[in-house]
């Protein structure tokens, strides 16, 4: 997680020259003007990729490292989450009296009837419940909160899918632009 935060900060810092210097992909005429106005500095900046920041190898390296960091963080978390979803809730601690919030009460119901009632109440409150028979009687353990991690993982997986779709669009897609003077038309196919 720390690596991802550092890479996000580095990506933000690396994007600053893209807003300070004219970019060839947006305004090639402004880049030409910059070369005319700064003949000594412009070639140095061009070698550093300052006029094509978002297509430069150093910016792509930071972007790819962030992408790999996201994958490296998600895969183990998804595997662990799937294991936790399949596992039973943890058993009741042996020394329940050591927990900060605990109580003891005498109930006139039989143990099985009471356990069934408590289990129904816990399930209606959307807890995962595990019932075990022990030498001392019936033991119930319950947990919830797995939906929060599922939502977090779905968000990060969708972010990963979005980044992969953007990369695929840039690799296999195409785009073009054309200037059309007002009053003129443009058609890229033969007319009848």
């Amino acid at each position: 997680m720390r690596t991802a935060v550092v890479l996000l900060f580095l990506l933000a810092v690396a994007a600053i020259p893209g807003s300070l210097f004219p970019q060839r992909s947006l305004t090639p005429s402004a880049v030409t003007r910059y070369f005319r106005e700064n003949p000594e500095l412009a070639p140095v900046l061009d070698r550093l990729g300052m006029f094509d920041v978002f297509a430069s190898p150093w910016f792509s390296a930071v972007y790819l490292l962030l992408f790999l960091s996201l994958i490296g963080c998600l895969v183990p978390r998804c595997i662990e989450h799937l294991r936790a979803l399949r596992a039973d809730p943890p058993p009741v601690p042996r020394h329940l009296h050591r927990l900060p919030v605990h109580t003891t009460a005498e109930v006139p119901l039989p143990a099985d009837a009471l356990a069934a009632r408590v289990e129904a109440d816990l399930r209606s409150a959307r807890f995962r419940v595990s019932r075990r028979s022990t030498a001392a009687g019936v033991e119930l353990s319950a947990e919830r909160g797995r939906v929060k991690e599922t939502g977090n993982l779905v968000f990060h997986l969708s972010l990963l899918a979005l980044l992969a779709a953007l990369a695929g669009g840039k690799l296999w897609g195409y785009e073009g632009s054309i200037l059309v003077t007002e009053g003129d038309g443009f058609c890229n196919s033969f007319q009848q």
Side-chain angles (χ1 to χ4, degrees):
M1 191 62 130
R2 289 180 189 154
T3 305
V5 171
V6 169
L7 287 171
L8 277 172
F9 178 73
L10 194 60
L11 190 69
V13 169
I16 291 173
S19 61
L20 295 177
F21 298 109
Q23 300 297 300
R24 280 196 179 94
S25 60
L26 297 175
T27 53
S29 60
V31 174
T32 306
R33 185 174 352 106
Y34 194 90
F35 268 85
R36 249 192 343 262
E37 293 172 359
N38 303 298
E40 294 85 25
L41 182 61
V44 174
L45 291 175
D46 194 27
R47 273 187 239 114
L48 294 174
M50 294 299 159
F51 301 115
D52 287 317
V53 169
F54 304 109
S56 67
W58 53 269
F59 189 83
S60 298
V62 174
Y63 185 79
L64 287 173
L65 285 172
L66 184 61
F67 195 66
L68 289 174
S69 173
L70 180 62
I71 292 170
C73 189
L74 272 178
V75 170
R77 285 177 58 203
C78 286
I79 292 169
E80 185 62 34
H81 185 61
L82 288 174
R83 282 187 192 140
L85 286 177
R86 289 190 208 132
D88 286 335
V92 176
R94 278 195 255 165
H95 303 287
L96 200 55
H97 63 278
R98 292 184 185 171
L99 294 176
V101 179
H102 71 280
T103 186
T104 306
E106 294 285 329
V107 181
L109 293 173
D112 286 334
L114 180 63
R117 191 172 184 181
V118 170
E119 184 177 358
D121 287 345
L122 287 170
R123 287 191 191 279
S124 68
R126 296 195 172 144
F127 279 85
R128 263 187 341 161
V129 181
S130 175
R131 186 177 187 166
R132 297 174 185 93
S133 295
T134 63
V138 179
E139 179 181 284
L140 290 176
S141 59
E143 71 176 353
R144 72 176 186 185
R146 63 187 185 275
V147 177
K148 292 178 186 176
E149 182 64 15
T150 302
N152 191 4
L153 289 174
V154 166
F155 167 75
H156 283 90
L157 285 170
S158 63
L159 181 65
L160 187 65
L162 178 68
L163 290 173
L166 283 171
K170 286 293 184 183
L171 284 174
W172 296 296
Y174 69 93
E175 61 183 51
S177 61
I178 188 167
L179 293 174
V180 178
T181 309
E182 187 176 344
D184 290 345
F186 171 75
C187 182
N188 63 354
S189 63
F190 291 110
Q191 298 287 325
Q192 290 188 355

